[in-house]
Amino acid sequence: MLHTALVALTCAVSGQDAPSAPPVDPAREPAPVVAQDRAGPPLVEGTGAYRTPPEAVAKLVQAAPAPRVLFSPSGEWLLEVERPAQPSLAFVNRRMLRLAGTRIDPASNARFATSYENGLVLAKLDGSARRRVPTGENVRILDVGWSHGSTWIHALTMGDGASKLWVGVAAQPGSAKLVSDRVSSVFQSPVWMPDERGMLCLLVPAGRGAEPVAPAAPAGPNVRETAGETTPLRTYQDLLTNAHDAALFEHYAVAQLAIVPADGGARTDVGRPALITSAQPSPDGTRVLVERLVRPYSLSQPWWRFAKRVEVWTLDGRVEHVVADLPLAGEIPIGGVRTGPRMVGWKAGEGRTLVWCEALDGGDPDRDVPHRDKWTALDLEEGDGPRELLRTEHRATGLAFLRDVTRVIASEYDRDRRWTRATRHDLTGGASPLVLEDRSVRDRYGDPGDLVLVGDETGQQVVAQNGPWVYREGAGATPDGLLPFLSRQDLGTGNREVLWRCASGAYERFDFLVAPGVTGFGDEDVGPRFVTRRETPVEPPQYVLHEAEGGRRVVSRTVDPQPELRGVTKELITYERADGVPLSATLYLPPGHREGDVHPLLVWAYPREFNDVKTAGQVSASPWRFTTVRGSSHLALLMAGYAVLDDATMPIVGDPETMNDTFVEQVVASAQAAIDTVVARGVADPARVAVGGHSYGAFMTANLLAHSDLFRAGVARSGAYNRTLTPFGFQSERRTLWEAPEVYYAVSPFLHADGIGEPLLLIHGEADANSGTYPMQSKRLFAALQGNGGTARLVMLPAEGHGYRGMESVLQVQAETIAWLDRHLGE
């Protein structure tokens, strides 16, 4: 039981090594079905038992991944969180409700999860102690974390009828306990109150009653009408379809707001049950910012566009202030935003002040205005009403707070240029605004990194700061690959200094800032202590503590989960398209490769859009990453003797409004350059090259087969192939079908199915909820290929979404891919 687990968690830890994770109960996690139970043909054509790939590949898929690590905010502890390699298909296939654009697990009254965690290891950062936390058999953890003061650890687990919340003190034995077995996590997991004495939770209302029963016959038709409104909708899925759906949505989403004490005492209910999608306590702990949906609900929009009220509640449930009463967001322009307050939140460092953003252009990106947005603040106790803080020239994307409450960093995005800007503002007017970042979002070489955030004493996120310096961590893209860094930037001058950068020969990135308490780094001349995550092609990721004085120490014990892959070689290669656009990719060669060996090749890619050649050619990969195969990864083909050209860049360069006019020509040119480069290196057979991709990469794959003869076969997973079914734009396309019909036609491989002469393997999850890639897309392309005499295979995976999770499904995908390429790329 997890109660035992968290009691152990809060006991004084010993220095012993952690034993292995507990076994999984086969009764709860059925083994994959790999053979038919009965002899004879299947009942329906195309059905039968799940397949398995070659043993070497299956072993990779079934290997448990390295744990993720959560550091306590104090920097004293680390918590390793383990998960299985893949859940069983039985877990993925449990009952799910698809309502209002979200998916609900009715058994746990939670957002539907297709994965979970099941193991915890607690250790001191100084290495003095380490112990496994016994979590009991079959525990499924949905959420786990630290309180902002590092006093408590909480875990949310799947339960019967609701989720369960467990809390324990990190350093006191015998204190862990189940504090609530009625948590509703459809929209939000519990959050800590500022004083750390309890958690703000959404609970299943007492006496809720049974789930609404579907009527034997509809009460009437579902009627929709339009009368001149312009409502350009993306192809959202899982929408409400009738009144019964709406009743189910309310049944599972309406919740009771409450404060649940961490010590297990009696809870305090706040207000009455409502359909609350977000609840955030004020920094002083006296109020709650609540967002709740109001009737009537829409059959054409997802829940986040429903009518809603944004309110401030006192802890006795009284509505103190209505921030916004927003109608259904039905007329948002393509690329636009909702009018009225948005991004409403509490201002860090001020106990009762709200901040929010509002559009000054009616939410319309095509309207010509000097400023698109403004930020507003409201002190709930001053009584002076809202006051404007600042305006942004372009669309506001966020507001970062500093410990000095008179200063903020505002970020904005220019849609026309694909440009980002971040500016330091003095809210008193004492200093002029200072631009800290101003670049193309695609300029990875010029990226100064993200601001490093830390929690203040109330749990609010603020920018990490040391005197005038703020800290940034970045991917560190360079022509030689990624070299991540930690830097600092002067808020007075904007000058930047790199404090640490990954050395060539490894991939090491910033992970966590270790600060003494909540005051930062102390004196200005004291450097930061921080943790990085370091890996090489042959060494698994390990967490490394960097001391202020310059020392380094490994603080984790990750073991290589897939030693079979250490024989793989890889290299970051660069080359050039015929029109001069620089390209790059990572070339993997299978274990046992020797000089002179020639292999069948898979080119795996995903197109991305760029405004100019300079940014399109920038390298964004690293040859020093630890090689792993997770789930349905195409890199498993290495164990079957294939070479893989991974993340082969396929830039679409041009004006953001018209770049897709040459989509086909550009991907064909990029593919030609990729093949020519690898073949010239003498490691690939030009007559045995396949192409593959997932989602937009699948769309690219089908287009390459339809418009070129470069490949012998293709593998397309979870793609969209008929753009007339996504008529209000796709990916970065801004024009509608009616504005650019010739473009939609040109890039729709479904409409060119008669030109696809190469064998194409189509794989799709039957429960794909991704906008635009609904399962019908693969079914219709297969039917078109079949009707035109093409060679294709369609594999529809029951219960799977846009990505594939169930162990049986993942093994099937690997088996199908290897078998397909072996058949069509054979000698």
Side-chain angles (χ1 to χ4, degrees):
M1 300 297 293
L2 192 63
H3 176 84
T4 304
L6 289 181
V7 169
L9 170 67
T10 56
C11 293
V13 295
S14 67
Q16 67 189 40
D17 286 343
S20 61
V24 174
D25 182 356
R28 297 291 295 273
E29 289 289 340
V33 179
V34 296
Q36 284 186 252
D37 293 330
R38 295 185 296 177
L43 183 64
V44 179
E45 67 169 339
T47 63
Y50 281 89
R51 303 173 64 181
T52 56
E55 182 179 355
V57 173
K59 186 176 180 181
L60 293 180
V61 172
Q62 294 164 343
R68 68 185 180 102
V69 175
L70 301 176
F71 293 93
S72 65
S74 66
E76 182 181 3
W77 302 87
L78 64 87
L79 184 66
E80 295 180 354
V81 186
E82 300 169 336
R83 63 180 175 89
Q86 305 289 150
S88 72
L89 185 58
F91 176 81
V92 176
N93 194 45
R94 69 195 189 281
R95 186 179 180 228
M96 172 177 65
L97 300 176
R98 308 180 189 188
L99 302 168
T102 192
R103 295 181 168 186
I104 296 173
D105 177 1
S108 294
N109 216 100
R111 178 169 294 184
F112 192 86
T114 56
S115 62
Y116 58 87
E117 293 163 322
N118 63 349
L120 302 172
V121 174
L122 183 66
K124 284 287 192 74
L125 198 63
D126 63 10
S128 64
R130 178 183 176 86
R131 177 168 178 163
R132 173 169 295 282
V133 178
T135 52
E137 294 184 359
N138 304 310
V139 65
R140 293 176 176 132
I141 303 171
L142 298 174
D143 182 44
V144 63
W146 295 90
S147 64
H148 47 274
S150 303
T151 304
W152 308 89
I153 296 175
H154 69 273
L156 187 70
T157 65
M158 299 178 68
D160 297 324
S163 303
K164 297 181 178 181
L165 179 62
W166 308 78
V167 177
V169 180
Q172 294 181 7
S175 64
K177 60 184 65 179
L178 174 66
V179 297
S180 178
D181 61 359
R182 298 190 60 81
V183 174
S184 171
S185 54
V186 171
F187 286 113
Q188 176 178 296
S189 293
V191 296
W192 283 99
M193 293 295 289
D195 61 7
E196 283 191 292
R197 294 181 181 179
M199 300 193 77
L200 186 66
C201 300
L202 296 175
L203 305 179
V204 174
R208 176 176 66 176
E211 177 184 297
V213 177
N222 299 313
V223 178
R224 293 164 60 184
E225 182 176 342
T226 185
E229 302 95 348
T230 302
T231 310
L233 279 175
R234 293 282 187 174
T235 48
Y236 297 115
Q237 298 189 59
D238 299 337
L239 301 179
L240 299 177
T241 61
N242 52 44
H244 177 64
D245 277 358
L248 282 175
F249 180 57
E250 279 198 341
H251 179 80
Y252 286 105
V254 167
Q256 173 64 59
L257 186 63
I259 299 173
V260 176
D263 61 8
R267 75 173 195 252
T268 301
D269 288 348
V270 180
R272 301 179 63 182
L275 210 163
I276 298 170
T277 60
S278 175
Q280 301 298 326
S282 62
D284 64 4
T286 62
R287 299 167 173 86
V288 181
L289 177 63
V290 173
E291 294 190 14
R292 63 183 181 89
L293 304 182
V294 295
R295 295 180 176 183
Y297 310 128
S298 172
L299 301 182
S300 63
Q301 308 274 357
W303 68 266
W304 59 88
R305 296 174 72 142
F306 286 1
K308 68 176 180 178
R309 285 173 64 91
V310 184
E311 303 167 331
V312 176
W313 294 7
T314 59
L315 297 188
D316 61 5
R318 178 174 56 86
V319 177
E320 179 183 19
H321 181 77
V322 177
V323 181
D325 195 347
L326 302 173
L328 177 71
E331 298 184 41
I332 299 177
I334 294 175
V337 297
R338 196 171 196 162
T339 56
R342 69 181 199 278
M343 291 191 282
V344 186
W346 296 105
K347 188 172 186 295
E350 297 185 15
R352 72 278 176 162
T353 300
L354 291 169
V355 292
W356 65 82
C357 186
E358 287 189 69
L360 298 172
D361 59 359
D364 186 351
D366 293 327
R367 186 175 296 180
D368 188 14
V369 294
H371 296 92
R372 295 215 173 272
D373 282 318
K374 68 175 180 179
W375 284 97
T376 298
L378 173 66
D379 188 318
L380 293 169
E381 294 189 357
E382 282 188 351
D384 294 336
R387 69 181 189 279
E388 184 176 313
L389 298 178
L390 59 97
R391 295 189 174 199
T392 59
E393 179 182 0
H394 306 297
R395 184 68 68 210
T397 55
L399 198 66
F401 303 107
L402 302 166
R403 292 195 178 277
D404 178 354
V405 297
T406 66
R407 290 187 168 194
V408 296
I409 298 174
S411 56
E412 56 190 291
Y413 174 68
D414 179 0
R415 175 177 175 267
D416 292 337
R417 295 187 300 154
R418 298 179 187 269
W419 207 266
T420 185
R421 178 189 297 163
T423 307
R424 187 266 297 140
H425 292 269
D426 186 333
L427 301 181
T428 67
S432 300
L434 177 68
V435 175
L436 302 177
E437 177 182 3
D438 192 32
R439 64 178 179 89
S440 164
V441 294
R442 295 302 198 192
D443 181 11
R444 290 157 291 193
Y445 292 173
D447 185 355
D450 296 330
L451 292 166
V452 176
L453 303 179
V454 296
D456 67 10
E457 59 275 9
T458 70
Q460 298 288 314
Q461 294 288 292
V462 296
V463 178
Q465 193 169 353
N466 182 7
W469 301 95
V470 294
Y471 291 84
R472 290 182 174 272
E473 57 93 7
T478 75
D480 297 321
L482 299 179
L483 297 174
F485 62 87
L486 176 67
S487 68
R488 65 179 187 175
Q489 185 172 26
D490 191 319
L491 287 180
T493 64
N495 293 335
R496 295 195 299 267
E497 298 178 6
V498 174
L499 301 175
W500 166 86
R501 185 184 293 275
C502 169
S504 182
Y507 177 77
E508 187 172 3
R509 62 169 175 78
F510 171 88
D511 187 85
F512 174 73
L513 193 62
V514 182
V518 296
T519 58
F521 309 119
D523 296 334
E524 184 178 347
D525 59 349
V526 176
R529 297 176 70 224
F530 58 96
V531 175
T532 59
R533 186 177 185 269
R534 183 183 187 277
E535 59 192 271
T536 74
V538 297
E539 297 172 322
Q542 302 288 0
Y543 290 86
V544 181
L545 174 64
H546 297 245
E547 300 288 359
E549 299 79 14
R552 294 166 55 103
R553 179 170 53 83
V554 176
V555 296
S556 61
R557 302 182 182 182
T558 305
V559 177
D560 185 351
Q562 297 170 326
E564 303 87 348
L565 290 173
R566 289 329 117 217
V568 169
T569 58
K570 63 180 176 181
E571 179 185 0
L572 177 64
I573 63 174
T574 57
Y575 48 103
E576 193 172 279
R577 205 162 72 181
D579 60 0
V581 176
L583 305 173
S584 62
T586 301
L587 176 62
Y588 290 81
L589 298 177
H593 171 79
R594 295 173 298 181
E595 187 73 24
D597 286 351
V598 178
H599 307 279
L601 173 70
L602 173 68
V603 177
W604 195 268
Y606 188 98
R608 289 179 171 82
E609 299 85 0
F610 298 87
N611 286 26
D612 56 79
V613 172
K614 177 182 177 181
T615 55
Q618 293 181 354
V619 177
S620 61
S622 170
W624 308 114
R625 299 295 299 267
F626 183 63
T627 304
T628 59
V629 171
R630 296 261 68 88
S632 56
S633 170
H634 50 282
L635 294 181
L637 283 163
L638 292 163
M639 302 303 292
Y642 287 80
V644 178
L645 189 67
D646 190 33
D647 197 18
T649 53
M650 297 277 177
I652 310 302
V653 186
D655 186 300
E657 298 293 337
T658 60
M659 59 176 54
N660 280 327
D661 291 1
T662 56
F663 177 91
V664 170
E665 293 83 354
Q666 293 197 57
V667 294
V668 169
S670 296
Q672 181 72 69
I675 294 172
D676 290 347
T677 299
V678 178
V679 169
R681 300 171 77 89
V683 295
D685 182 348
R688 294 192 295 156
V689 182
V691 63
H694 182 268
S695 194
Y696 207 51
F699 168 72
M700 170 210 72
T701 295
N703 265 302
L704 284 169
L705 297 189
H707 299 288
S708 78
D709 295 315
L710 298 173
F711 300 97
R712 281 269 296 273
V715 179
R717 301 176 182 173
S718 300
Y721 311 105
N722 182 354
R723 287 305 174 188
T724 69
L725 298 178
T726 56
F728 292 105
F730 57 90
Q731 204 72 1
S732 296
E733 178 57 55
R734 299 176 178 180
R735 297 164 294 182
T736 70
L737 169 63
W738 299 274
E739 293 169 330
E742 67 287 348
V743 174
Y744 279 69
Y745 173 81
V747 301
S748 293
F750 170 81
L751 300 176
H752 301 277
D754 57 343
I756 299 179
E758 298 80 13
L760 177 59
L761 173 63
L762 295 163
I763 302 176
H764 215 123
E766 289 185 349
D768 190 346
N770 184 56
S771 177
T773 60
Y774 34 83
M776 182 178 66
Q777 289 273 6
S778 287
K779 294 179 181 179
R780 291 293 180 264
L781 180 57
F782 177 79
L785 293 171
Q786 186 178 43
N788 282 281
T791 301
R793 182 176 173 88
L794 173 65
V795 181
M796 300 300 297
L797 300 171
E800 296 292 352
H802 193 56
Y804 319 132
R805 296 290 183 267
M807 178 63 79
E808 295 91 331
S809 300
V810 167
L811 292 172
Q812 178 85 22
V813 169
Q814 295 289 10
E816 293 281 357
T817 304
I818 293 171
W820 188 256
L821 296 185
D822 281 352
R823 185 195 312 177
H824 297 291
L825 267 64
E827 295 287 356

